[in-house]
Amino acid sequence: MLGFLQRPVLVKADVNLNVVALTVMGLLSRLWGLTYPRAVVFDEVYYGQYISFYMKRVFFLDGSGPPFGHMLLALGGYLGGFDGNFLWNRIGAEYSSNVPVWSLRLLPALAGALAVPMAYQILWELHFSHCAAMGAALLILIENALITQSRLMLLESLLIFFNLSAVLSYLKFSNSQKRRPFSPSWWLWLTLTGVACACAVGTKYMGVFTYLLVLGVATVHTWHLIGDRTLSNVGAGGVRGTRVAAWGRQGWDGAFQGQFRRGQEGGAALWRWTRPPVCQVCVLCHVLARAVALVLVPVVTYLLFFYVHLTLLCRSGPHDQIMSSAFQASLEGGLARITQGQPLEVAYGSQVTLKSAFGKPMPCWLHSHQSTYPRIYEDSRGSSHQQQVTCYPFKDVNNWWIVKDPGRHQLEVSAPPRPVRHGDVVQLVHGMTTRFLNTHDVAAPLNPHAQEVSCYIDYNISMPAQNLWRLDIVNRESDAEVWKTILSEVRLVHVNTSAILKLSGAHLPDWGFRQLEVVGEKLSRGYHESTVWTVEEHRYGRSQEQKERELELHSPTQMDVSRNLSFLARFSELQWRMLTMRSDDSEHKYSSTPLDWVTLDTNIAYWLHPRTSAQIHLLGNAVIWASAGLATALYTLLFCWHLLRRQRRLCDLPEDSWLRWVLAGALCAGGWAVNYLPFLLMEKTLFLYHYLPALTFQILLLPVVLQHVGEHLCRSELQRSVFGALVVAWYSAACHVFDTLRPLTYGHKSLSPSELQALRWRESWDILIRKYQQDPTQ
């Protein structure tokens, strides 16, 4: 029984030495001298501060993308023992001894190194030749811009890695489909495709383009699979045996006819009618498996990134005020410390601060002070000269208001407290001046179409107080909903004029102390965050006397009520803030346009040595970039040519070659298109590194086109030999450019003035062209 223990356990494995060699070369090119320079390089100043926040578990908000890429960078810092104590305030600043530079740059470098063998694997899975696969990998290996970007604490190499992982996993799954559907390897590669897509989207929003590309290709393949009438149900848990196999060979029509004839002969064969439904179940299993792996798995994985992110960042930080009061209260410290122990239900007599849910142009609270509106504005319009009501972006005692019952005079909470509910009519009394929140048919100071909002002063003139407001709880679950601290989002609707209390967002002039304007919006255009307010700080008023109330406004609260937000509520708010956060659209010295990328008419000076002429530039290999662009154009022309000829029943390519050609174009040319063309429509500051994911797919397409030309357009052996020699010469030129630009890629060498001038070949070429245009005889 235990005889197997007397024999050695043997494991056989096929090792592709090409992949091993490419991996080693990729690691050497990306990991060599990784700690140099030991200084902050370009956008490391941007990502480094977020790594410090992770190390200190402090909440932050970055509108540039989801948190997965940031967490991977922080993982490197964690593995290196980084404590987060470094001031990320200047490009070129020397790293202190506590910053593990090698660990922080390790994961991007590994991702860039692994992209080299993955390029080989992708073309191999597309069933192109070994030479084409090696060519793609070697081009990725010597592309200077990809090397530079992957050796720094940046996200592009991680994004490229997950993009290629998604494509490679899907190709392996597709090939497994042809051999053994529903096998363990089939499930493995299908699931990894969904996970890789989620990782790409979780690293940068640009990853969604590759995800949609893979999803589109998978949808087309699934559509063809549904129409495959020879599809066997073996592996899907269906009936096995010769009858099923015979049915699969005959196809749908033959099986149906056979069943129909048997049905005429006798009832004993009626069971054969169950076979088509069995196949339909098989097809349904294929569709559901793809839907789960390519839709559900990415969604769950994406949510998991945010769950880990929010679990790690549990402490209050500098970006808190962008978030809602409820979100802030869920963090340790900050608002949570201030609001700890507040009553949950707002009652008549409650003392509250009302924060605008809009948060733009900055977070602010409903505020009033002794100053009044000027009698005459600069445009000669008159005002009510009532007490100003504004939105103030800082904590202040003048932010406190008392919720009053219009039918009673008392300003303290009764025993037991009487909660305020949706639809109730209330008055808001300013805590420090005891004047009522009011609006009337007087134009607002900066928005004449809206009503002025003020605190009413009785001047004994024909302008009665209009200070009744109806409470509208926007996120209520029922019409009897109680107004809750932090949790309820409310609108205050003026009873007399139906105007809604709104933050206009405009800054008042000096007479309004540059605070934000609050108006009464009569023409409501539906729900908008500028009309929504939340109670942030809250206490039950206990005194009717003004002096005692003023002391209460400065005293801590007593009651303890828990109001933790659920994960989905926090995720929804954080994701919305990320998507709607306004990016900095200002021009940058090294910003560029998408058209500049294709022609490599731009570069970025990443780092300059403070004492020598050593420097690092993001500069691409001109031979590779130009060739990749030409290959894309040539593929498009050849694809259209073959498509037109196939339409006329002239098939120059065998069916297998044509399908391989189309799939390669969909993934490689399509990958370039979906990662490049959207930038033409974006109105944001763009840089050369935004093009690198698209360039990677374009480089994969280059060997595909070269193999196609060599196999199908070169007719004779002489033509193939000449073409092969040209390819070798071209690749040698690419290697020469790589070696020439290597000092600017690694920054390890101090360059002389003549060497620097030699590297500025484009500038020299432009000067010669201008001279020729001025005087062609020179």
Side-chain angles (χ1 to χ4, degrees):
M1 180 177 178
L2 299 179
F4 71 92
L5 295 177
Q6 301 175 1
R7 295 188 299 271
V9 178
L10 302 179
V11 177
K12 296 181 179 180
D14 295 329
V15 178
N16 189 331
L17 295 181
N18 296 316
V19 175
V20 175
L22 289 171
T23 304
V24 171
M25 289 189 289
L27 292 172
L28 289 175
S29 66
R30 270 65 175 179
L31 296 180
W32 177 78
L34 190 61
T35 57
Y36 181 85
R38 192 174 175 83
V40 180
V41 180
F42 202 64
D43 274 353
E44 285 187 341
V45 72
Y46 177 73
Y47 293 110
Q49 57 183 319
Y50 297 136
I51 295 175
S52 292
F53 285 142
Y54 273 114
M55 297 300 103
K56 298 178 180 180
R57 305 194 68 178
V58 171
F59 174 78
F60 68 88
L61 175 62
D62 179 20
S64 66
F68 182 58
H70 300 72
M71 288 193 293
L72 289 179
L73 297 180
L75 175 62
Y78 175 78
L79 295 176
F82 183 42
D83 56 7
N85 293 320
F86 182 78
L87 187 60
W88 307 88
N89 62 348
R90 181 172 60 87
I91 297 175
E94 294 288 332
Y95 283 122
S96 56
S97 58
N98 69 309
V99 180
V101 181
W102 192 84
S103 296
L104 288 171
R105 294 174 178 170
L106 176 61
L107 290 181
L110 288 177
L114 294 177
V116 176
M118 289 175 65
Y120 174 92
Q121 291 276 58
I122 287 174
L123 262 69
W124 187 253
E125 292 295 329
L126 284 169
H127 305 296
F128 284 91
S129 66
H130 164 72
C131 290
M134 284 294 293
L138 293 176
L139 289 174
I140 297 291
L141 177 69
I142 65 172
E143 211 302 298
N144 297 78
L146 294 179
I147 295 175
T148 300
Q149 198 72 12
S150 62
R151 287 171 50 81
L152 301 172
M153 192 170 52
L154 305 172
L155 295 182
E156 276 65 35
S157 63
L158 294 171
L159 175 61
I160 291 171
F161 170 78
F162 290 123
N163 283 346
L164 296 182
S165 297
V167 172
L168 177 59
S169 298
Y170 181 76
L171 289 173
K172 284 185 172 292
F173 155 74
S174 181
N175 291 330
S176 298
Q177 168 69 28
K178 301 172 184 176
R179 295 189 295 267
R180 291 186 60 196
F182 296 102
S183 63
S185 62
W186 185 91
W187 280 108
L188 172 66
W189 291 116
L190 179 60
T191 305
L192 284 180
T193 303
V195 172
C197 288
C199 291
V201 178
T203 302
K204 274 198 164 188
Y205 287 129
M206 291 168 53
V208 75
F209 301 138
T210 301
Y211 173 48
L212 293 177
L213 173 69
V214 173
L215 197 62
V217 173
T219 301
V220 172
H221 285 174
T222 304
W223 181 253
H224 288 297
L225 188 72
I226 293 174
D228 185 3
R229 294 183 296 180
T230 64
L231 184 66
S232 171
N233 62 331
V234 177
V239 181
R240 299 176 182 265
T242 56
R243 292 178 178 175
V244 174
W247 178 85
R249 287 193 300 269
Q250 292 172 0
W252 182 278
D253 295 334
F256 184 83
Q257 292 172 2
Q259 294 163 18
F260 185 75
R261 287 194 298 269
R262 290 267 183 167
Q264 286 181 331
E265 293 173 5
L270 288 177
W271 62 271
R272 289 184 177 270
W273 283 98
T274 62
R275 286 188 174 183
V278 169
C279 187
Q280 291 175 15
V281 170
C282 176
V283 172
L284 182 61
C285 289
H286 276 280
V287 174
L288 289 179
R290 286 159 173 79
V292 169
L294 300 182
V295 178
L296 184 60
V297 168
V299 170
V300 173
T301 306
Y302 187 76
L303 290 173
L304 180 62
F305 297 153
F306 277 86
Y307 182 82
V308 176
H309 174 73
L310 292 172
T311 301
L312 291 175
L313 305 185
C314 59
R315 296 172 182 166
S316 175
H319 298 167
D320 286 9
Q321 289 192 350
I322 302 175
M323 311 304 294
S324 69
S325 300
F327 193 101
Q328 293 180 54
S330 67
L331 301 173
E332 298 175 7
L335 181 63
R337 185 177 64 253
I338 297 173
T339 60
Q340 183 178 7
Q342 291 187 153
L344 176 63
E345 296 183 349
V346 177
Y348 291 106
S350 287
Q351 300 167 356
V352 299
T353 63
L354 292 168
K355 183 181 179 183
S356 171
F358 194 34
K360 296 178 182 180
M362 61 189 71
C364 62
W365 291 261
L366 189 66
H367 176 93
S368 187
H369 40 242
Q370 292 284 355
S371 300
T372 59
Y373 291 108
R375 293 182 184 275
I376 304 296
Y377 297 126
E378 293 180 356
D379 57 1
S380 301
R381 291 186 298 111
S383 77
S384 66
H385 197 51
Q386 298 282 338
Q387 181 173 303
Q388 296 175 15
V389 171
T390 64
C391 206
Y392 189 51
F394 301 100
K395 301 284 188 180
D396 190 84
V397 70
N398 281 314
N399 297 345
W400 285 94
W401 300 81
I402 302 172
V403 181
K404 179 181 177 297
D405 184 349
R408 300 190 181 187
H409 293 290
Q410 65 186 44
L411 295 178
E412 74 274 9
V413 176
S414 60
R418 294 186 300 122
V420 182
R421 301 180 182 275
H422 168 75
D424 286 355
V425 175
V426 300
Q427 292 173 313
L428 291 178
V429 182
H430 188 240
M432 299 301 294
T433 63
T434 67
R435 293 191 172 120
F436 290 77
L437 184 69
N438 182 84
T439 187
H440 39 218
D441 193 15
V442 176
L446 301 182
N447 290 273
H449 65 277
Q451 292 183 178
E452 174 193 88
V453 175
S454 62
C455 278
Y456 183 75
I457 302 176
D458 189 2
Y459 288 120
N460 292 321
I461 58 176
S462 57
M463 185 180 287
Q466 300 183 35
N467 50 33
L468 298 179
W469 301 84
R470 187 177 68 254
L471 186 73
D472 177 20
I473 301 178
V474 177
N475 60 341
R476 65 185 182 277
E477 295 181 357
S478 69
D479 289 339
E481 182 84 16
V482 175
W483 189 3
K484 295 184 178 66
T485 306
I486 291 179
L487 301 180
S488 294
E489 298 177 351
V490 304
R491 297 194 305 173
L492 293 169
V493 183
H494 193 237
V495 173
N496 299 77
T497 64
S498 298
I500 299 175
L501 191 70
K502 175 184 176 180
L503 169 65
S504 74
H507 286 272
L508 295 170
D510 291 338
W511 55 258
F513 309 101
R514 309 298 300 175
Q515 296 175 15
L516 300 177
E517 181 191 41
V518 174
V519 301
E521 182 67 69
K522 292 190 68 173
L523 301 176
S524 177
R525 299 177 179 84
Y527 172 82
H528 191 271
E529 284 186 320
S530 61
T531 62
V532 177
W533 305 82
T534 57
V535 172
E536 186 172 271
E537 297 180 66
H538 176 212
R539 58 173 54 86
Y540 282 165
R542 298 299 181 186
S543 176
Q544 183 70 15
E545 297 298 326
Q546 175 62 15
K547 292 295 183 181
E548 296 180 7
R549 276 202 307 271
E550 291 181 9
L551 293 175
E552 281 183 343
L553 295 178
H554 293 88
S555 63
T557 54
Q558 302 298 324
M559 299 178 64
D560 186 13
V561 179
S562 175
R563 52 180 68 85
N564 292 327
L565 279 181
S566 67
F567 161 70
L568 288 180
R570 292 196 296 162
F571 162 76
S572 301
E573 180 178 347
L574 180 58
Q575 182 66 88
W576 176 250
R577 296 292 184 189
M578 285 181 171
L579 293 174
T580 58
M581 190 175 181
R582 186 174 182 180
S583 60
D584 184 10
D585 297 332
S586 60
E587 286 295 322
H588 190 279
K589 179 181 179 181
Y590 294 110
S591 62
S592 54
T593 66
L595 296 180
D596 295 331
W597 306 340
V598 178
T599 58
L600 196 56
D601 197 21
T602 181
N603 72 90
I604 303 176
Y606 270 2
W607 172 80
L608 302 175
H609 197 283
R611 292 175 296 276
T612 70
S613 59
Q615 48 197 282
I616 295 177
H617 285 248
L618 183 68
L619 185 60
N621 190 313
V623 173
I624 296 178
W625 286 54
S627 304
L630 291 175
T632 305
L634 183 57
Y635 175 88
T636 305
L637 293 175
L638 289 174
F639 176 81
C640 294
W641 171 254
H642 287 307
L643 193 63
L644 288 172
R645 288 182 61 80
R646 288 178 70 86
Q647 185 66 21
R648 295 182 59 83
R649 302 296 188 268
L650 299 173
C651 299
D652 302 313
L653 300 178
E655 190 64 23
D656 289 345
S657 299
W658 168 250
L659 294 177
R660 181 184 65 186
W661 173 253
V662 171
L663 181 58
L667 291 175
C668 300
W672 170 81
V674 299
N675 283 281
Y676 171 69
L677 297 181
F679 286 107
L680 296 173
L681 306 176
M682 293 184 184
E683 296 181 359
K684 58 179 290 187
T685 305
L686 299 174
F687 296 91
L688 180 62
Y689 55 73
H690 285 121
Y691 186 60
L692 296 182
L695 174 70
T696 306
F697 283 103
Q698 205 174 34
I699 291 175
L700 295 180
L701 183 65
L702 183 50
V704 170
V705 173
L706 291 178
Q707 178 174 334
H708 182 83
V709 172
E711 288 183 352
H712 301 286
L713 299 185
C714 295
R715 304 290 181 175
S716 64
E717 288 296 328
L718 177 61
Q719 290 176 338
R720 293 191 180 95
S721 299
V722 172
F723 179 74
L726 292 175
V727 171
V728 172
W730 161 78
Y731 192 80
S732 301
C735 292
H736 175 71
V737 172
F738 161 73
D739 186 64
T740 303
L741 298 179
R742 190 158 47 88
L744 297 181
T745 300
Y746 292 91
H748 64 284
K749 181 181 178 183
S750 180
L751 302 173
S752 65
S754 60
E755 290 174 322
L756 284 173
Q757 185 62 37
L759 289 173
R760 296 185 180 124
W761 59 273
R762 181 179 289 275
E763 296 178 11
S764 303
W765 183 253
D766 291 341
I767 292 173
L768 289 175
I769 291 176
R770 285 196 296 269
K771 286 183 177 180
Y772 177 79
Q773 291 174 344
Q774 294 172 1
D775 187 1
T777 61
Q778 291 185 356

